[in-house]
């Protein structure tokens, strides 16, 4: 059976962007693939975070994984920090990735720009190394992610090629990123030129946000000149973003979404429909989230998941260790 693997880092409140670009797609893999989904809690340390915030975000993220349809009987759900093999393999493969290629990563450039230049953590720079370790430890065939993570998966592919060629053996499996056709990059509602993110801006929608507030944000979303509901990223970035959200949640194409609104010439009416689709989806997720928190099952899910993940990761780690001349006992 082929394997699928992905993760989200618990740095902030999960957004509608995370949901549409990644989380919504995770359960699709659990019937036909061996599915590994984890919380990238070590990655969350790459920018300063309060211990309590990290702890709560981690619990919320696991609950949201379950609320969005991941079934612990079909998907191995675990915390990155519970499987020490991630850090061990990271220590090895960091020697096979180059500082030049890491410094070209768009996400590093964007994030480091906003920091004091004398206090950029090494972990932020080396972030894609750990992410590559995450992927290859599970022999992942596919990695479903949003567009902003594609470059990191491609770097992982370079590493796999470099490592396997160096040792003339298929030690690591070559992963393929799976990027959704629609919704791989959801933009901010107040500024459709920037990505929706967990950083707490007014234009971001959170999965656990109050539904009235969500509705208000959508009704106030930045729109463009004209009154037609047409997808045109350059001239109508606001409407295009709302159309993308609508189409993704309805599981239809952008063209089908445009057809539905071909006779609608009032942005307000269109926004009402978008708000309805979004709040309906979030309402379902929030109800399930509450049930999961009340059922107190998270610790058990994580314990079982870590055990299964460790078994798999340990084999790959040992093979890599022996290949390069470490004892790998
Ligand atoms: P993270 O936590 O930043 O984002 C989680 C997932 O959400 C997607 N995403 C978006 N998709 C569409 N529109 C947006 N505005 C948007 N914002 C975020 C991301 O592309 C991602 O798929 N490095 C990863 C976590 C990670 C990982 C891994 C993923 C660690 N190890 C191994 C896959 C495999 C990250 O920080 O994602």
């Amino acid at each position: 059976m082929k394997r699928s693997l992905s993760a989200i880092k618990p740095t902030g409140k999960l957004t509608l962007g995370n949901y549409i670009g990644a989380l919504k797609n995770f359960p699709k893999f659990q019937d036909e693939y061996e599915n590994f989904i984890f919380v990238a809690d070590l990655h969350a340390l790459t920018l300063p975070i309060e211990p309590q915030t990290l702890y709560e975000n981690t619990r919320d993220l696991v609950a949201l994984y379950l609320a969005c349809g991941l079934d612990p009987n079909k998907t191995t759900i675990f915390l990155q920090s519970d499987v020490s093999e991630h850090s061990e393999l990271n220590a090895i493969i960091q020697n096979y990735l180059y500082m030049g290629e890491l410094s070209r990563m768009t996400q590093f450039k964007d994030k480091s720009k906003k920091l004091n230049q004398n206090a950029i953590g090494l972990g932020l720079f080396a972030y894609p190394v750990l992410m590559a370790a995450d992927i290859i430890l599970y022999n992942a065939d596919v990695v479903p992610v949003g567009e902003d993570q594609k470059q990191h998966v491609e770097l992982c592919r370079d590493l796999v090629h470099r490592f396997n060629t160096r040792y003339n053996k298929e030690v690591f499996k070559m992963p393929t990123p799976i990027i959704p056709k629609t919704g791989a990059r959801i933009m901010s509602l107040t500024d459709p030129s920037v990505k929706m993110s967990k950083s707490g801006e007014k234009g971001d929608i959170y999965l656990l946000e109050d539904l009235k507030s969500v509705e208000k944000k959508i009704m106030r979303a930045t729109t463009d000149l004209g009154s037609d509901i047409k997808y045109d990223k350059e001239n109508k970035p606001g409407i295009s973003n709302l159309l993308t959200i609508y189409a993704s949640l309805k599981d239809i194409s952008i063209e089908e979404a445009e057809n539905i609104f071909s006779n609608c010439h009032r942005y307000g009416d269109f926004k009402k429909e978008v708000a309805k689709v979004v709040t309906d989806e979030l309402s379902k997720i929030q109800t399930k989230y509450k049930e999961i928190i009340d059922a107190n099952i998270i610790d058990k899910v994580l314990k079982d998941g870590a055990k299964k993940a460790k078994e798999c990761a340990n084999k790959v780690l040992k093979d890599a260790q022996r290949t390069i001349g470490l004892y790998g006992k």
Side-chain angles (χ1 to χ4, degrees):
M1 212 180 202
K2 289 201 167 183
R3 287 204 176 142
S4 173
L5 169 131
S6 199
I8 297 181
K9 59 180 182 320
T11 38
K13 306 281 169 219
L14 234 63
T15 69
L16 187 65
N18 295 127
Y19 180 67
I20 292 177
L23 181 48
K24 175 176 176 289
N25 306 312
F26 294 169
K28 294 182 187 160
F29 291 86
Q30 64 187 355
D31 290 318
E32 282 164 42
Y33 287 76
E34 247 182 279
N35 206 20
F36 290 85
I37 299 291
F38 66 95
V39 176
D41 51 359
L42 293 174
H43 275 116
L45 301 172
T46 52
L47 289 174
I49 185 162
E50 286 304 315
Q52 187 63 21
T53 310
L54 176 56
Y55 184 83
E56 283 168 12
N57 287 351
T58 300
R59 182 210 50 201
D60 279 356
L61 184 47
V62 178
L64 283 169
Y65 279 163
L66 300 170
C68 292
L70 284 176
D71 173 352
N73 295 313
K74 296 180 180 173
T75 294
T76 306
I77 301 171
F78 62 101
L79 303 185
Q80 186 183 32
S81 63
D82 274 346
V83 182
S84 56
E85 281 78 358
H86 289 249
S87 305
E88 293 180 69
L89 189 62
N90 178 63
I92 292 175
I93 62 169
Q94 64 184 345
N95 301 299
Y96 301 80
L97 281 164
Y98 306 138
M99 289 170 62
E101 50 198 4
L102 290 172
S103 60
R104 283 194 292 276
M105 293 292 112
T106 311
Q107 201 163 66
F108 172 70
K109 286 197 272 187
D110 286 351
K111 292 200 169 163
S112 58
K113 224 172 22 201
K114 295 176 196 148
L115 298 172
N116 168 356
Q117 295 305 294
N118 293 318
I120 299 169
L122 180 58
L124 185 67
F125 183 66
Y127 184 108
V129 183
L130 180 58
M131 182 161 160
D134 297 340
I135 296 170
I136 56 187
L137 270 178
Y138 299 92
N139 285 324
D141 295 281
V142 296
V143 184
V145 282
E147 195 184 83
D148 63 348
Q149 295 301 319
K150 191 171 172 217
Q151 196 183 30
H152 293 158
V153 183
E154 274 162 3
L155 187 68
C156 175
R157 288 173 60 84
D158 291 343
L159 167 88
V160 168
H161 179 72
R162 192 171 297 157
F163 195 96
N164 290 350
T165 307
R166 162 74 178 80
Y167 297 101
N168 200 17
K169 179 181 167 194
E170 204 200 327
V171 187
F172 300 136
K173 188 84 169 265
M174 185 63 81
T176 303
I178 304 238
I179 316 289
K181 231 175 160 182
T182 308
R185 192 175 178 85
I186 300 297
M187 310 310 276
S188 156
L189 297 184
T190 46
D191 179 0
S193 70
V194 300
K195 196 180 70 173
M196 187 179 284
S197 73
K198 302 185 196 116
S199 54
E201 303 295 332
K202 281 200 301 267
D204 306 330
I205 288 180
Y206 301 100
L207 296 189
L208 296 176
E209 187 168 345
D210 169 68
L211 298 180
K212 281 262 169 292
S213 153
V214 171
E215 195 180 336
K216 254 193 218 153
K217 283 183 180 173
I218 296 176
M219 294 311 290
R220 287 185 191 153
T222 304
T223 42
D224 323 287
L225 286 176
S227 58
D228 288 343
I229 314 300
K230 282 266 158 232
Y231 187 87
D232 177 348
K233 236 171 144 184
E234 214 161 280
N235 301 309
K236 284 175 159 282
I239 290 295
S240 301
N241 192 36
L242 292 174
L243 261 175
T244 304
I245 292 173
Y246 182 88
S248 307
L249 295 182
K250 285 276 201 188
D251 268 323
I252 57 175
S253 67
I254 296 280
E255 295 74 37
E256 284 171 307
E258 279 177 329
N259 285 340
I260 292 174
F261 295 105
S262 58
N263 291 323
C264 172
H265 301 291
R266 287 223 298 254
Y267 285 162
D269 294 345
F270 167 58
K271 283 176 168 179
K272 257 189 220 156
E273 289 301 312
V274 177
K276 182 170 181 336
V277 172
V278 173
T279 50
D280 281 355
E281 187 93 358
L282 296 195
S283 160
K284 276 188 252 160
I285 294 173
Q286 293 179 5
T287 305
K288 285 205 194 127
Y289 164 86
K290 283 188 199 112
E291 285 168 16
I292 285 152
I293 293 286
D294 290 345
N296 226 341
I297 52 173
I298 290 175
D299 287 347
K300 166 102 172 70
V301 167
L302 291 178
K303 192 168 169 228
D304 294 350
K307 190 164 171 269
K308 273 200 252 168
K310 205 169 170 67
E311 264 167 37
C312 173
N314 196 263
K315 276 194 207 131
V316 176
L317 175 69
K318 290 285 170 282
D319 187 26
Q321 286 174 330
R322 288 180 199 133
T323 301
I324 61 177
L326 296 174
Y327 267 45
K329 283 268 184 281

